[in-house]
Amino acid sequence: MSWGNELWDQFDNLEKHTQWGIDFLDKYAKFVKERLEIEQNYAKQLRNLVKKYCPKRPAKDDEPRFTSCVAFFNILNELNDYAGQREVVAEEIGHKVFSEIMRYSYELKAERKSHLQEGRKAQQYLDICLKQMDNSKRKFERECREAEKAQQTYERLDSDTNATKSDVEKAKQQLNLRTHMADESKNEYAAQLQNYNAEQHKHFYIVIPQVYKHLQEMDERRTVKLSECYKGFADAERKVIPIISKCLEGMVHAAKSVDERRDSQIVVDCFKSGFEPPGDYPFEDYSQHIYRAVSDGTISTPKQEMRVDPKMTVGKAKGKLWPFGKKPKGQASEDFSHLPPEQRRKKLQQRIDELNRELQKEIDQKEALNKMKDVYEKNPQMGDPSSLPPRIAETMSNIEKLRMEIHKNESWLSEVEGKVGQRSERRHSADTNHLAAQGRESPEGSYTEDANQEVRVQPPSHAHSEFDDEFDDDEPLPAIGHCKAIYPFDGNNEGTLAMKEGDVMYIIEEDKGDGWTRARKQNGEEGYVPTSYIDVTLEKNSKGS
């Protein structure tokens, strides 16, 4: 496919097409320039936005650093980096796309002008040859007509008897002259015709195809240049995508770092006064000197029930429910016995881990000192080996102390884990012991005072049915507080109570140190739930519904 062969007679259309191509190139250059300005303005506006919302000065040491605020400042930093990448895109587009297009457009216009001038010049030369050939043709035609007239005149005079001999001779000479001039015009016309045909062949088969070839190559280079600019435009964006992706990942990471619990704790730390809420006002009975209570002997009870007043239960248990109220004051013991078993176990495990790390450091130090001693003994010039035994002895002493400390804490830990394991095992064996599901609750609904009294005495077999009737007819156990579920619990094991996050339930038996609390739902369903899964609040006068 060649313009010179296919479009040999379309010079004007090719001129228009090449002009359109240059106009389109200029149009794309204008588009790139406007896009460049948009990128620059976008980056500038982003930086101004970041500057506007960034803190004017570093936060004070005592200012609370909420996770949501820290995340927002991190997002602003990432956004500032993102704005920098937009500036990189603008710079890349301006340097490799816009500048290149403007330079190439200038060169393309000059080249097109040169090729078109060459084509016009060839066309003008062919027109001159055509004009010369046409003039010689008309001259030859005119001379032929004159020679034909001279021949007619000669023949007429030669046949006329009245014509003189001189007239005839003169007519003959004129005929010979016109004939000779016609022959010369004929030869000139033939030469001009031959020359024009040669120039025309050269014009349409050599000159014009060459000019059109240059125009075609120029137009194809323009198309390729546009393609390269399109690609360069995309490459400018593609180069910054990895960094932009990191900026976006940083924003996502900042969003995930927001911790509502931690922010709530910061609020507590900032505004907590440390005072206990005021207690209930006691009832002052001024009528006790007016009315007398009925004698106890006049009251007959059909059954001897061991029910304890809920208020008395709460009062007695008040000192033992400090995990849900105010902790007892006093110094903490070394074995953490002042803590509940689960918290005690965690504290002991943390201490053992710390002691193990310190022990490993001392062991490494002892090995290093022994190696140093061997080196000093072999090379006395490097150091005095007699200076190391005291340090080695001190390290050995530290190792022994740490091992004794670890052994002591491990003993405490084993004791705690054994108790927790026994309590958990008894909790989950409710299917073999009917009373085990009731925890430490007596058949009458009272609470045992001794926390170690875990084993239940089975009632006599003959009174079993009577006990069931009394238990079914009894009122629900009194509530000693309420709780709210922090996490969901499926309650698959028998004796446990399923709950959803946010459920509010009554507390009918506090945690005895084994990590389980007995609760009752609004619909009357009872069971054990993990203490760590609920937020417990003690209410002195609360009762189950």
Side-chain angles (χ1 to χ4, degrees):
M1 180 189 65
S2 173
W3 288 5
N5 297 329
E6 304 291 338
L7 306 175
W8 60 271
D9 57 344
Q10 299 297 323
F11 182 85
D12 294 338
N13 288 330
L14 290 180
E15 182 180 6
K16 293 178 182 179
H17 172 73
T18 52
Q19 181 61 43
W20 171 86
I22 292 177
D23 293 341
F24 183 79
L25 189 67
D26 292 338
K27 182 178 180 180
Y28 180 70
K30 184 179 179 181
F31 161 78
V32 173
K33 182 180 180 181
E34 293 181 2
R35 171 64 188 277
L36 176 63
E37 294 174 352
I38 290 174
E39 288 289 346
Q40 292 173 342
N41 293 332
Y42 180 46
K44 182 178 180 181
Q45 291 176 2
L46 284 179
R47 289 198 182 276
N48 292 336
L49 182 66
V50 172
K51 185 178 179 180
K52 178 181 179 181
Y53 285 94
C54 270
K56 304 298 181 183
R57 55 188 177 183
K60 298 179 181 178
D61 295 338
D62 57 345
E63 182 180 350
R65 299 289 290 175
F66 294 100
T67 57
S68 57
C69 297
V70 174
F72 177 64
F73 294 149
N74 292 335
I75 289 175
L76 289 179
N77 292 332
E78 296 294 345
L79 186 62
N80 191 55
D81 295 340
Y82 177 82
Q85 295 307 308
R86 302 318 307 178
E87 291 176 348
V88 171
V89 171
E91 183 179 355
E92 192 80 7
I93 292 176
H95 177 66
K96 292 190 175 180
V97 180
F98 181 70
S99 299
E100 185 68 18
I101 288 179
M102 296 304 294
R103 181 191 62 82
Y104 186 75
S105 177
Y106 178 79
E107 296 177 354
L108 196 67
K109 292 176 182 178
E111 183 180 0
R112 173 181 175 275
K113 183 178 180 180
S114 175
H115 294 325
L116 292 179
Q117 286 180 352
E118 184 178 356
R120 290 192 185 95
K121 185 178 179 180
Q123 186 64 42
Q124 290 174 359
Y125 180 72
L126 184 62
D127 292 341
I128 291 173
C129 294
L130 177 61
K131 185 176 181 180
Q132 292 177 352
M133 185 269 296
D134 189 59
N135 291 336
S136 62
K137 178 182 178 182
R138 286 197 295 270
K139 182 180 179 182
F140 173 58
E141 182 182 3
R142 186 173 60 253
E143 292 297 336
C144 287
R145 286 197 298 269
E146 293 296 332
E148 195 172 327
K149 289 180 181 180
Q151 184 177 4
Q152 293 176 359
T153 301
Y154 171 72
E155 290 177 355
R156 181 175 56 79
L157 292 174
D158 186 47
S159 60
D160 187 4
T161 56
N162 296 324
T164 62
K165 186 176 181 181
S166 60
D167 292 335
V168 174
E169 190 65 26
K170 186 177 179 181
K172 184 177 180 180
Q173 291 178 357
Q174 186 67 24
L175 173 61
N176 291 334
L177 178 61
R178 291 297 180 185
T179 303
H180 178 69
M181 291 178 66
D183 291 338
E184 288 181 353
S185 298
K186 179 181 179 181
N187 293 333
E188 183 181 358
Y189 168 63
Q192 291 294 334
L193 179 62
Q194 184 179 4
N195 179 63
Y196 173 76
N197 289 334
E199 291 297 333
Q200 180 177 256
H201 184 276
K202 180 180 178 182
H203 177 83
F204 288 110
Y205 289 93
I206 299 176
V207 178
I208 289 299
Q210 190 70 19
V211 172
Y212 287 3
K213 180 182 178 182
H214 293 328
L215 289 174
Q216 181 180 358
E217 291 175 352
M218 179 196 72
D219 191 71
E220 289 176 352
R221 287 198 308 271
R222 177 192 63 83
T223 306
V224 172
K225 178 60 67 174
L226 279 173
S227 175
E228 293 175 354
C229 291
Y230 297 159
K231 184 175 180 297
F233 196 93
D235 288 340
E237 292 276 356
R238 186 183 300 171
K239 286 181 181 179
V240 300
I241 285 179
I243 302 178
I244 290 179
S245 298
K246 290 182 179 179
C247 294
L248 298 177
E249 289 175 2
M251 294 181 184
V252 173
H253 180 72
K256 291 182 179 179
S257 67
V258 175
D259 187 355
E260 68 280 5
R261 294 282 181 179
R262 186 175 177 184
D263 286 357
S264 298
Q265 186 59 42
I266 291 175
V267 175
V268 172
D269 295 340
C270 290
F271 304 111
K272 183 179 179 181
S273 64
F275 298 111
E276 290 291 332
D280 295 339
Y281 281 96
F283 176 76
E284 299 181 10
D285 190 3
Y286 296 102
S287 64
Q288 58 184 350
H289 299 293
I290 301 175
Y291 301 101
R292 299 300 179 191
V294 182
S295 174
D296 294 339
T298 62
I299 301 176
S300 60
T301 56
K303 292 183 286 186
Q304 295 292 330
E305 295 185 1
M306 299 297 293
R307 183 177 304 279
V308 180
D309 188 24
K311 295 183 180 180
M312 296 299 296
T313 304
V314 173
K316 292 179 180 179
K318 189 174 181 180
K320 297 184 289 184
L321 290 179
W322 57 264
F324 313 118
K326 189 174 182 180
K327 293 187 178 182
K329 297 182 179 179
Q331 295 183 352
S333 59
E334 182 184 4
D335 60 351
F336 301 112
S337 59
H338 62 289
L339 297 175
E342 183 63 23
Q343 297 183 21
R344 183 184 178 193
R345 184 188 66 80
K346 293 180 180 179
K347 289 289 186 180
L348 289 172
Q349 186 63 53
Q350 292 176 0
R351 180 188 287 175
I352 291 172
D353 294 340
E354 293 175 358
L355 292 173
N356 281 326
R357 287 192 291 270
E358 294 179 5
L359 178 61
Q360 186 61 41
K361 291 181 181 179
E362 294 292 337
I363 293 174
D364 295 341
Q365 184 176 359
K366 185 192 73 170
E367 294 178 355
L369 290 173
N370 289 329
K371 291 180 180 180
M372 189 181 299
K373 181 181 178 182
D374 295 339
V375 172
Y376 286 176
E377 290 176 350
K378 294 178 181 179
N379 302 300
Q381 68 274 10
M382 297 183 65
D384 184 11
S386 61
S387 63
L388 295 178
R391 296 175 59 185
I392 295 176
E394 181 183 359
T395 304
M396 292 293 295
S397 175
N398 294 336
I399 291 175
E400 291 300 324
K401 291 179 181 179
L402 289 171
R403 284 176 176 171
M404 293 176 60
E405 192 70 19
I406 291 173
H407 179 71
K408 181 172 61 175
N409 283 272
E410 286 179 345
S411 300
W412 291 335
L413 181 63
S414 300
E415 177 186 354
V416 175
E417 289 179 344
K419 288 184 179 180
V420 173
Q422 292 176 4
R423 293 174 188 271
S424 299
E425 184 177 356
R426 286 197 297 271
R427 288 291 188 195
H428 290 87
S429 61
D431 55 342
T432 59
N433 190 347
H434 174 72
L435 293 179
Q438 305 297 326
R440 302 180 183 84
E441 185 180 347
S442 65
E444 290 78 17
S446 62
Y447 297 84
T448 60
E449 298 295 329
D450 188 4
N452 296 324
Q453 186 178 350
E454 297 292 331
V455 181
R456 288 281 168 236
V457 178
Q458 293 284 354
S461 58
H462 65 276
H464 189 271
S465 59
E466 182 182 356
F467 167 76
D468 290 340
D469 294 337
E470 292 177 4
F471 189 80
D472 293 337
D473 295 336
D474 235 345
E475 294 180 359
L477 295 177
I480 60 175
H482 68 277
C483 66
K484 183 177 181 181
I486 303 175
Y487 307 103
F489 179 63
D490 52 12
N492 293 331
N493 296 328
E494 186 172 357
T496 58
L497 181 64
M499 62 181 180
K500 298 180 181 179
E501 182 179 355
D503 285 354
V504 178
M505 299 171 289
Y506 294 104
I507 299 297
I508 59 176
E509 183 180 356
E510 73 274 18
D511 186 358
K512 298 298 183 179
D514 55 2
W516 293 89
T517 299
R518 190 175 180 185
R520 179 193 296 125
K521 287 188 174 181
Q522 300 289 343
N523 58 6
E525 186 180 1
E526 297 180 1
Y528 289 93
V529 296
T531 305
S532 59
Y533 279 39
I534 57 177
D535 185 11
V536 182
T537 303
L538 180 62
E539 296 181 355
K540 295 182 180 180
N541 297 324
S542 175
K543 289 186 179 182
S545 57

